[in-house]
Amino acid sequence: MSLKANLQTIRAGIETACRRCGRDPRTVRLVAVSKTKPVSLIEEAAAAGQTLFGESYVQEFVAKAEAIALPLEWHFIGALQSNKVKYLRGHTALIHSVDRYSLAAEIDRQWASLEEPAAILIQVNIGEEASKSGTTAKELEELVRRVSLLPHLRIRGLMTLPPYCEDPEEVRPYFRSLRQLALTIEELKLPGVAMEELSMGMSHDFAVAIEEGATLVRVGTAIFGERERN
Ligand SMILES: *Cc1c(COP(=O)(O)O)cnc(C)c1O
């Protein structure tokens, strides 16, 4: 299948999932995860109408963003070391993967000289897997409270990478838990914190994620094909 056809299939899948649960399809945005994929494929996706892309590796991302002149929206979704935050400054519309205070503080420091605050999501390790990043559900509130005091960033929601399950139905409870956590945080009514975005769902489970409230689905393989590495 062509990349264009893949995108059409995903968009149709998003609409179907929205219709099934009575949501407006405009409330769900597709993040095309282009990590490890060449600039030529990103341009091909852009030509097919895709404007929002997600990348996971800082150097790779910066090289691609500089090579592409199109007005694309870039989200950073990968594990992030504090000493690399400076390379993202001004290039990303949203960082999905903030999982600790020291990282948030460095983003705050780097964004201090820009006009707009950094928009971030807090990553939650909802399945509490040792192999995955993310704060725990238990520590989330404390982290959000501390990060919300940083002046140059805004917490816009939560992100999760749940355990992998063949059957997307088995992932549903994790998506539901993330939504529940977002509702709990929303009720705290903290300044600078808005639970507008739920970043959850990937190639094989985005439909279930949408039914559970996802506003950003991060889809790589189903658009660009298999990756040789992750
Ligand atoms: C790679 C990646 C994705 C995309 O996964 P696919 O299964 O290829 O759709 C989504 N989210 C994150 C955080 C990723 O690293």
Side-chain angles (χ1 to χ4, degrees), residues 33 35 56 77-78 123 159 161 201-204 218-222 225 227 230:
V33 177
K35 65 183 180 200
S56 293
I77 64 172
Q123 182 172 351
M159 180 272 225
L161 200 59
M202 317 203 307
S203 288
H204 77 295
R218 309 178 309 264
V219 178
T221 309
R227 289 177 296 273
N230 251 321

Side-chain angles (χ1 to χ4, degrees), residues 105-151:
E106 178 58 15
I107 295 171
D108 183 73
R109 208 169 75 83
Q110 291 296 338
W111 257 255
S113 59
L114 300 180
E115 256 171 53
E116 293 288 319
I120 65 162
L121 305 180
I122 302 290
Q123 182 172 351
V124 184
N125 186 356
I126 203 87
E128 308 212 346
E129 295 171 281
S131 62
K132 293 207 174 125
S133 356
T135 185
T136 60
K138 200 161 143 273
E139 288 163 328
L140 176 65
E141 181 177 330
E142 155 108 28
L143 179 62
V144 168
R145 281 185 185 279
R146 288 184 73 201
V147 171
S148 74
L149 300 175
L150 294 166

Side-chain angles (χ1 to χ4, degrees), residues 194-206:
M195 291 289 115
E196 301 159 345
E197 304 284 6
L198 278 180
S199 169
M200 57 188 196
M202 317 203 307
S203 288
H204 77 295
D205 57 12
F206 71 84

Side-chain angles (χ1 to χ4, degrees), residues 4-180:
K4 188 173 177 186
N6 290 347
L7 273 169
Q8 279 166 349
T9 304
I10 303 291
R11 290 195 194 117
I14 290 173
E15 287 199 12
T16 305
C18 283
R19 217 168 304 123
R20 209 159 39 227
C21 59
R23 291 184 60 188
D24 179 344
R26 287 170 300 188
T27 62
V28 180
R29 292 206 298 155
L30 172 62
V31 183
V33 177
S34 47
K35 65 183 180 200
T36 81
K37 299 296 178 183
V39 162
S40 58
L41 287 187
I42 297 173
E43 289 171 339
E44 195 179 328
Q50 180 65 28
T51 54
L52 172 54
F53 293 85
E55 287 278 342
S56 293
Y57 309 103
V58 174
Q59 276 96 338
E60 181 193 331
F61 161 60
V62 173
K64 285 173 173 175
E66 282 173 357
I68 298 174
L70 303 165
L72 302 179
E73 178 175 341
W74 296 101
H75 289 189
F76 192 82
I77 64 172
L80 185 53
Q81 290 169 272
S82 292
N83 63 2
K84 295 202 175 147
V85 169
K86 56 179 179 283
Y87 302 114
L88 297 184
R89 190 170 74 117
H91 287 299
T92 49
L94 186 65
I95 300 174
H96 291 224
S97 45
V98 178
D99 61 353
R100 58 198 188 278
Y101 182 79
S102 57
L103 176 59
E106 178 58 15
I107 295 171
D108 183 73
R109 208 169 75 83
Q110 291 296 338
W111 257 255
S113 59
L114 300 180
E115 256 171 53
E116 293 288 319
I120 65 162
L121 305 180
I122 302 290
Q123 182 172 351
V124 184
N125 186 356
I126 203 87
E128 308 212 346
E129 295 171 281
S131 62
K132 293 207 174 125
S133 356
T135 185
T136 60
K138 200 161 143 273
E139 288 163 328
L140 176 65
E141 181 177 330
E142 155 108 28
L143 179 62
V144 168
R145 281 185 185 279
R146 288 184 73 201
V147 171
S148 74
L149 300 175
L150 294 166
H152 308 293
L153 52 77
R154 301 283 180 269
I155 301 175
R156 303 279 311 278
L158 305 179
M159 180 272 225
T160 197
L161 200 59
Y164 180 84
C165 307
E166 261 326 296
D167 177 2
E169 279 305 323
E170 287 177 35
V171 196
R172 188 184 293 276
Y174 296 108
F175 292 146
R176 193 166 288 177
S177 300
L178 193 75
R179 173 135 196 252
Q180 216 44 61

